[in-house]
Amino acid sequence: EVEGGQRRGMITRRIVRSMSAKGMSNEGGKAKALPARVPHEVKFGVVEGENRGSVKGSLFDPPITRTDPYFWLRDDERKSEKVIDYLKQENDYCKEATSHLESFSGEIYKEMKSHLKETDDEVPWQQGTLGWRYFTRTLEGKSYKLHCRTKLESNAEEDLQGENIDVILDENDVAKDLAHCDVGCVVPSPSENLVAYAVDSTGYETYKVCFRDLDGKQNTEETIEETTGDIAWGLDDSLIFYSKMDKAHRPHQLWVRVRKEGTGEARDQLLLEEDDERFWLGLWKSRSGKILFSGLRSKETTEVHMIDLQAVHDRIKAGQDVEIKDFLKMVSPREQGVIYKVDHLDKFGHLVFLTNAWDKKEFTLCAAPVDKPDRANWFEMESFKYDPGKYLLGAYCFKDFVVLSGREGGLTRLWILHFAEDGGTLDVAKCQRVEFEEEAYEVNFSARNKVFDSDSFRVIYSSMVTPDSTVMVNSSSGETEVIKVDEVPGYDPSKYATIRLEAEARDGTKIPMSVVFKKDKDFVDGEDIKTQFMSKERPT
């Protein structure tokens, strides 16, 4: 909701009237391109020579056949001249059929753009041990972001300027001479002398990993071709992990590049390959930084593998040749229908899991020793019992606490857990839910929480009244501090309010409703919002 709503409504009505008058038929104009019908038989079920899945009883056997007259439009290689020509005809028709809307679409574009702050900085976050704080910047008139860093503690825009700022990557420079540019991961190395970044220059979501020297401010000759764009460093600059895709564009391989620093020599090792086409491979580091996880997941089943990065680092530091694959260990083998997520609770030597094991309807919190991580050793927390009313989505381990994200009562929620060992058994000693003033809102754990040994964490908060806000949460008290509220030009949030109501269904279920409204002239700030809203006579 922004100022100028009446004007936008007028524009919308003009568009609707224009569309109705035209009938969108474009009579007398370019005829709509219709694709040719070319009969093609498609088989569903068990097909010899193809992997259609391995769950018995779930496939048609013998297969059934259907005719798809438009199968020829499938072009996985994006090279068929017939398909490209047809798409051009569709685009030409669309352009002519909607030509009468061009002036109105221009007005809408200007209106929307007027509410965007084009030149803006993200709140810097700390990463690494050298005091650098990283952030991204957008500039008016530029299509792509700048990735920057500073050693200043200030978040003020006036301080994040000039010599105080080190631009480590300008995506606008990367995009020069490219027909398409999508920069994925941008990851500083542990030494913070390099940054690895992934770029897709074709639009096919195949990324090349490039390396940039942060002292010389230029790219090195080193690259990694045809990756998924997911990358993670080891404990130092000698290891970088990445993944690759198969012909169907499914992430299926985990690789590592062993780099001999100062020599330019590098050796790539294939660590893991998944042949079951139902499973996609992903990779991430534990928040402790000591474990590399690689997850294999289908729609309803998970299997995770792990590498002890500290053990690998110690071996490399000793000058020994290392086969990284020898350090690859399975967390727990896949079981049909069992999903689990995992992070490293380093202080207590455990892994923390969210899982639907034991036929749970929702996820439950459990743990296992890091050296005995398989399901046989998983145990639930006595002081944080499974609750089907909580839908847990993520567990994020810090040195002295764990943050859980999820939903409860229809709202996104965060819980802070402090652990202790009682008689050698890990349990939750304290649990606190993070509270916010507004009744209806959304809050998410931020990906910018890069410091493991911290007593606070960052979240992104918003509501139907409050724009995206960067908020810090104290892990001991649960108190929140707003660091930045994204500016929306032309919008005054003080003129609006939001409340949460509940309607009772026939079966007694409470249905939550989020309401946003503009305060009228009789609204009194400081008094109960819901009481004032419900006291007014309003349209049904």
Side-chain angles (χ1 to χ4, degrees), residues 270-421:
L270 174 62
L271 304 179
L272 182 63
E273 183 169 12
E274 177 56 49
D275 294 326
D276 191 328
E277 294 175 1
R278 295 175 302 160
F279 286 81
W280 285 40
L281 180 146
L283 66 99
W284 69 96
K285 283 174 74 173
S286 65
R287 300 205 69 265
S288 68
K290 294 182 177 180
I291 296 177
L292 188 285
F293 291 112
S294 182
L296 301 166
R297 180 167 179 174
S298 69
K299 295 294 185 182
E300 55 184 13
T301 305
T302 302
E303 177 180 285
V304 179
H305 297 250
M306 59 186 281
I307 295 174
D308 185 340
L309 295 177
Q310 186 66 58
V312 175
H313 176 75
D314 293 343
R315 185 77 65 85
I316 293 176
K317 196 172 182 180
Q320 302 177 22
D321 289 333
V322 178
E323 289 295 328
I324 310 299
K325 191 172 184 177
D326 295 341
F327 293 85
L328 189 67
K329 178 181 179 180
M330 185 181 293
V331 175
S332 190
R334 68 190 67 175
E335 298 179 49
Q336 180 64 32
V338 175
I339 296 172
Y340 64 91
K341 307 172 184 180
V342 59
D343 200 3
H344 181 212
L345 190 60
D346 185 40
K347 183 177 181 178
F348 295 97
H350 278 65
L351 298 181
V352 171
F353 299 88
L354 292 182
T355 180
N356 65 344
W358 306 295
D359 297 322
K360 294 287 195 293
K361 181 180 179 181
E362 305 293 354
F363 289 104
T364 187
L365 177 70
C366 64
V370 71
D371 58 345
K372 299 176 182 178
D374 57 278
R375 181 180 166 181
N377 297 302
W378 294 359
F379 60 90
E380 294 184 88
M381 306 294 164
E382 286 297 323
S383 300
F384 195 84
K385 293 285 191 179
Y386 169 70
D387 181 356
K390 290 187 176 74
Y391 177 42
L392 303 180
L393 291 169
Y396 311 96
C397 295
F398 290 79
K399 181 176 179 289
D400 295 316
F401 62 95
V402 174
V403 177
L404 295 183
S405 67
R407 285 185 174 273
E408 185 178 36
L411 286 175
T412 51
R413 297 286 193 181
L414 295 170
W415 296 267
I416 305 171
L417 307 184
H418 291 267
F419 287 79
E421 284 187 314

Side-chain angles (χ1 to χ4, degrees), residues 7 29 47 49 64 84 90 169 195 241 313-314 334 419 442 463 474 529:
R7 180 167 174 265
V47 178
I64 62 174
I84 293 173
E90 284 275 14
L169 182 69
V195 64
F241 297 86
H313 176 75
D314 293 343
R334 68 190 67 175
F419 287 79
E442 180 174 354
S463 74
N474 184 284
I529 299 175

Side-chain angles (χ1 to χ4, degrees), residues 436-475:
F436 298 92
E437 290 186 6
E438 291 179 303
E439 293 185 359
Y441 61 84
E442 180 174 354
V443 62
N444 293 291
F445 185 82
S446 172
R448 303 314 194 189
N449 288 295
K450 302 295 186 180
V451 179
F452 181 62
D453 187 2
S454 176
D455 59 3
S456 62
F457 60 96
R458 179 187 293 198
V459 301
I460 303 300
Y461 173 94
S462 66
S463 74
M464 291 191 290
V465 170
T466 305
D468 283 353
S469 307
T470 301
V471 179
M472 296 301 297
V473 182
N474 184 284
S475 65

Side-chain angles (χ1 to χ4, degrees), residues 17 41 57 63 84 108-109 114 119 152 175 189 224 241 243 262 275 287 322 327 388 392 399 412 465 467 498 502 535:
R17 286 197 299 268
E41 290 188 347
I84 293 173
I108 292 176
Y109 173 76
S114 71
T119 297
L152 293 180
S189 69
I224 305 175
F241 297 86
S243 55
D275 294 326
R287 300 205 69 265
V322 178
F327 293 85
L392 303 180
K399 181 176 179 289
T412 51
V465 170
T498 182
E502 288 186 335
S535 66

Side-chain angles (χ1 to χ4, degrees), residues 56-296:
K56 294 181 179 179
S58 65
L59 301 175
F60 295 112
D61 191 8
I64 62 174
T65 301
R66 294 289 184 267
T67 299
D68 180 2
Y70 303 118
F71 187 85
W72 67 274
L73 286 170
R74 174 171 179 165
D75 179 22
D76 294 338
E77 299 296 325
R78 277 40 170 198
K79 295 179 180 179
S80 170
E81 292 186 6
K82 289 184 178 180
V83 174
I84 293 173
D85 286 343
Y86 171 70
L87 292 176
K88 288 180 179 178
Q89 293 176 47
E90 284 275 14
N91 289 339
D92 290 343
Y93 171 76
C94 179
K95 184 176 181 179
E96 183 167 332
T98 59
S99 59
H100 60 292
L101 301 177
E102 286 184 9
S103 60
F104 304 132
S105 63
E107 289 184 55
I108 292 176
Y109 173 76
K110 290 178 181 178
E111 174 75 15
M112 295 176 67
K113 188 177 178 181
S114 71
H115 298 293
L116 295 176
K117 185 180 180 182
E118 294 187 69
T119 297
D120 202 6
D121 293 335
E122 188 177 8
V123 176
W125 69 90
Q126 186 177 340
Q127 183 169 340
T129 59
L130 301 180
W132 286 109
R133 300 169 71 229
Y134 294 81
F135 65 98
T136 60
R137 166 173 289 167
T138 56
L139 295 175
E140 184 176 359
K142 297 289 186 179
S143 299
Y144 299 93
K145 294 179 180 178
L146 278 67
H147 297 262
C148 311
R149 64 180 181 179
T150 180
K151 287 195 173 181
L152 293 180
E153 291 297 321
S154 173
N155 295 322
E157 289 186 14
E158 59 268 22
D159 293 332
L160 299 177
Q161 306 295 333
E163 296 180 356
N164 296 327
I165 300 303
D166 181 22
V167 178
I168 63 174
L169 182 69
D170 186 342
E171 292 185 16
N172 296 282
D173 291 339
V174 176
K176 287 180 180 178
D177 303 322
L178 296 180
H180 173 87
C181 181
D182 175 37
V183 175
C185 291
V186 178
V187 188
S189 69
S191 72
E192 299 185 79
N193 292 326
L194 291 171
V195 64
Y197 67 93
V199 58
D200 169 22
S201 60
T202 65
Y204 194 44
E205 298 182 354
T206 300
Y207 291 81
K208 177 171 73 172
V209 178
C210 303
F211 296 83
R212 187 169 179 81
D213 179 356
L214 297 185
D215 290 329
K217 294 293 188 297
Q218 60 183 2
N219 282 19
T220 68
E221 294 182 358
E222 182 180 5
T223 59
I224 305 175
E225 302 287 342
E226 297 183 339
T227 78
T228 64
D230 291 336
I231 49 181
W233 290 95
L235 290 189
D236 59 24
D237 295 5
S238 65
L239 296 179
I240 185 165
F241 297 86
Y242 59 97
S243 55
K244 284 181 169 286
M245 295 176 283
D246 62 11
K247 292 182 178 179
H249 235 57
R250 174 183 65 95
H252 75 131
Q253 290 179 336
L254 173 66
W255 288 78
V256 63
R257 172 165 290 184
V258 182
R259 309 170 66 250
K260 290 189 177 181
E261 297 179 61
T263 67
E265 297 180 17
R267 182 166 59 99
D268 295 280
Q269 298 179 19
L270 174 62
L271 304 179
L272 182 63
E273 183 169 12
E274 177 56 49
D275 294 326
D276 191 328
E277 294 175 1
R278 295 175 302 160
F279 286 81
W280 285 40
L281 180 146
L283 66 99
W284 69 96
K285 283 174 74 173
S286 65
R287 300 205 69 265
S288 68
K290 294 182 177 180
I291 296 177
L292 188 285
F293 291 112
S294 182
L296 301 166

